[in-house]
Amino acid sequence: ALRRGDVTIDLRAREAFRQDRPLALTRAEFRLLSLLATQPGTVYSRSELAREALRKAADGCDRTVDAHIHTLRRKIEPDPANPSHIKTVYGIGYAFSEQPDASP
């Protein structure tokens, strides 16, 4: 399992938790979270996220990616208006914060 701050992602079971509480994520949200959290600090463009996580052609998916990120932030962020996990890299896309793992 990946531990990123107060978020835990069990890739095998396809489950995610925040503060040990299960998160009700859609498949697309889980794929986005997994992709971003697996490589913290890596900036993914909207087209990369659309192709890799949403499995859609990159054309015209910017708003779709933004909508999924917005919903995902509401579920995993302590304060979605000031995200600490999923950072916006203006003009490019998104990255998961390089915060230290909460692993023992």
Side-chain angles (χ1 to χ4, degrees):
L2 296 173
R3 295 187 68 93
R4 302 287 185 251
D6 61 353
V7 176
T8 303
I9 305 157
D10 185 335
L11 297 171
R12 284 191 188 145
R14 300 184 68 74
E15 297 175 329
F17 304 86
R18 180 169 173 265
Q19 297 178 338
D20 298 321
R21 292 188 184 109
L23 296 170
L25 301 178
T26 66
R27 282 188 192 139
E29 291 165 354
F30 184 83
R31 286 194 302 258
L32 278 169
L33 178 60
S34 298
L35 179 62
L36 291 166
T38 300
Q39 296 293 324
T42 299
V43 179
Y44 291 92
S45 70
R46 286 173 178 85
S47 61
E48 288 173 315
L49 292 171
R51 186 176 55 251
E52 298 296 324
L54 304 181
R55 301 193 172 118
K56 295 185 177 198
D59 298 335
C61 283
D62 287 1
R63 303 309 302 158
T64 302
V65 170
D66 292 345
H68 282 293
I69 293 290
H70 176 77
T71 304
L72 185 56
R73 281 178 170 159
R74 285 197 341 243
K75 294 178 180 182
I76 71 165
E77 297 286 356
D79 178 5
N82 297 299
S84 59
H85 294 301
I86 299 174
K87 301 291 188 178
T88 299
V89 181
Y90 291 97
I92 301 173
Y94 299 97
F96 204 88
S97 176
E98 289 186 275
Q99 58 193 327
D101 290 352
S103 303

